[in-house]
Amino acid sequence: MLDKTGIAKRIAKEIKDGYYVNLGIGIPTLVANYIPEHIDVVLQSENGLLGMGPFPFEGEEDPDVINAGKQTITMLPGSAVFDSAMSFGMIRSKKVNLTILGAMEVSENGDIANWKIPGKMVKGMGGAMDLVASAENIIVAMQHVNKAGESKLLPNCTLPLTGVNCVKKIVTELAVLDVLPEGGFKLLERAPGVSVEEIIKATAGKLIIEGEIPEMMI
């Protein structure tokens, strides 16, 4: 199965030339390190930056240059810095082609829960609700099961929702799956060394399997 870096590498293959892409907190931030050199994309950080680059090397960090998760980042030539009002104006007016988010749960009809576990302290919603309400293409980077081994791909989310019927694709440590418009997780690829049977066992929601499922290429 994949580690977090492997998930990020696989998602990077979904980014197309000319895209404007928003990277959420967690695994999605790693995607910036693995965008193919021949692909020209602009990464947006919702705290007010267009032109985000990969993470800096140790010793080259600038504490004033951070992403929405407060991690130090780099800025590429031609990048622009602006306020949150401008940033969310871009998001709400659908200028972002692709949003990559982490999630605690995703339902088989594309609902996402990624901001709160009842009874636990949270910093707030952040920009997640604006992103899922405005983005036309959302890919989720997440673990297939929780620490107790329970599936996070469910018939219905049990945690407070961030957005409804919005997730298009999911990449986990086990698989790549499409969320179908009519409902259900369609299995597209399996992680190296992972069997279809393992994915079936780890998926609580409706899983659709058609034909031979290829092993993903990283």
Side-chain angles (χ1 to χ4, degrees), residues 78-199:
S79 59
V81 178
F82 36 84
D83 61 21
S84 290
M86 176 70 75
S87 179
F88 280 91
M90 295 173 183
I91 292 167
R92 293 169 183 170
S93 59
K94 301 183 184 296
K95 304 297 185 185
V96 176
N97 303 109
L98 172 64
T99 296
I100 303 170
L101 294 172
M104 300 168 186
E105 295 177 346
V106 176
S107 77
E108 64 188 37
N109 66 335
D111 299 345
I112 180 173
N114 80 339
W115 77 282
K116 182 178 182 179
I117 298 175
K120 292 193 175 183
M121 183 73 73
V122 294
K123 296 180 180 179
M125 172 63 70
M129 188 172 285
D130 290 272
L131 288 164
V132 299
S134 304
E136 295 182 357
N137 189 7
I138 296 175
I139 297 177
V140 165
M142 66 185 294
Q143 299 296 320
H144 212 105
V145 298
N146 62 23
K147 292 179 180 179
E150 300 165 333
S151 179
K152 297 166 65 172
L153 277 63
L154 305 170
N156 296 288
C157 293
T158 63
L159 298 173
L161 294 182
T162 310
V164 175
N165 194 220
C166 56
V167 176
K168 300 295 190 290
K169 182 169 286 186
I170 304 166
V171 181
T172 76
E173 76 277 20
L174 302 180
V176 180
L177 309 104
D178 269 346
V179 181
L180 300 181
E182 64 272 22
F185 303 110
K186 183 176 181 180
L187 182 58
L188 302 180
E189 301 173 16
R190 53 190 175 82
V194 173
S195 68
V196 171
E197 288 71 27
E198 288 176 278
I199 298 166

